[in-house]
Amino acid sequence: MYKEIFKKVIAIIFQPGRAWNWLAKREEKQEEFLSRFVYPLIGLVTVVAFLGVLLTHKEFDLELALKTSIRTLVSAFGGFYLGAYLMNEIGQGLFKREKDLRLWLRFVGYSSSLMFALHIVLTLFPEFFFLRIFVLYTFYIVWEGAGPYMGVEEKARLKFVGFTTAVILLTPVFIEVLLSMLMPGLRF
């Protein structure tokens, strides 16, 4: 299963046009997408966050590792669902699209692949902090998927891509900040 996830993530990151065309033609059940792509990927990000603290900090701090993994899990999971929900609701008014939460869940999940992959790499190798800039490549991934996967017209594509990318990137950050404000014990 993780081999299949790895192949999809690599395809979305390095060949987004081809990957989106393949995904658009593929029939995929919602439960299959969630249980065979998003949930394992979020689980992997969470486990890596836990192990990353244990491996990269000088002292063994189980409490910090648990806090980090909880915050990572909630921000990734919540960011995924909140982003898809917001785009489903806003897309109806702003982009004149019919509501289709299942489609938005798949689009946001696949578009978040780079963000999840970068989180894994930066957790294990924090000295490569400069790689954070590559999260902006999500704009291109969303751009490539807007046409074939979401059926966005060319004249509305830039607005769609800009808004969708902002939502995908900022919802996990918003949830993480909100968690830190509401639960000061999760700060470190």
Side-chain angles (χ1 to χ4, degrees):
M1 176 170 58
Y2 280 101
K3 185 178 179 181
E4 183 180 317
I5 292 170
F6 183 73
K7 285 181 181 179
K8 282 183 184 177
V9 169
I10 293 298
I12 290 169
I13 292 172
F14 291 106
Q15 298 175 333
R18 188 181 299 170
W20 282 117
N21 286 329
W22 177 74
L23 290 169
K25 294 174 188 170
R26 187 169 177 248
E27 282 293 321
E28 189 172 34
K29 294 180 182 174
Q30 187 68 14
E31 296 80 25
E32 181 182 323
F33 163 72
L34 292 173
S35 65
R36 297 186 59 80
F37 185 75
V38 173
Y39 295 159
L41 196 55
I42 290 174
L44 182 63
V45 169
T46 304
V47 168
V48 168
F50 180 81
L51 294 175
V53 170
L54 295 179
L55 298 174
T56 59
H57 282 71
K58 292 177 181 155
E59 65 277 343
F60 184 82
D61 192 353
L62 190 60
E63 179 185 357
L64 181 62
L66 286 171
K67 287 179 182 181
T68 303
S69 63
I70 289 169
R71 194 171 76 180
T72 301
L73 174 66
V74 173
S75 66
F77 199 76
F80 164 68
Y81 275 107
L82 181 62
Y85 178 78
L86 284 175
M87 289 311 302
N88 187 44
E89 295 297 319
I90 294 170
Q92 183 182 17
L94 195 61
F95 305 115
K96 310 296 185 242
R97 299 184 56 88
E98 289 184 29
K99 284 188 175 186
D100 188 356
L101 185 60
R102 291 175 182 230
L103 179 65
W104 277 110
L105 283 170
R106 288 192 305 272
F107 188 71
V108 170
Y110 286 130
S111 298
S112 299
S113 297
L114 174 66
M115 191 171 55
F116 293 141
L118 277 174
H119 196 282
I120 290 169
V121 169
L122 292 172
T123 300
L124 293 175
F125 305 104
E127 59 273 4
F128 295 139
F129 62 90
F130 57 89
L131 293 177
R132 290 186 196 278
I133 192 75
F134 289 113
V135 79
L136 297 177
Y137 183 72
T138 303
F139 183 87
Y140 180 68
I141 292 171
V142 173
W143 178 271
E144 287 293 323
Y149 199 80
M150 297 300 287
V152 176
E153 296 175 10
E154 198 63 39
K155 63 181 179 180
R157 197 171 191 177
L158 185 61
K159 182 169 82 168
F160 174 86
V161 171
F163 199 80
T164 305
T165 302
V167 169
I168 289 170
L169 294 179
L170 295 178
T171 50
V173 173
F174 170 75
I175 290 176
E176 197 168 327
V177 168
L178 189 64
L179 273 174
S180 294
M181 286 174 27
L182 294 176
M183 301 167 74
L186 288 180
R187 279 189 222 147
F188 44 87

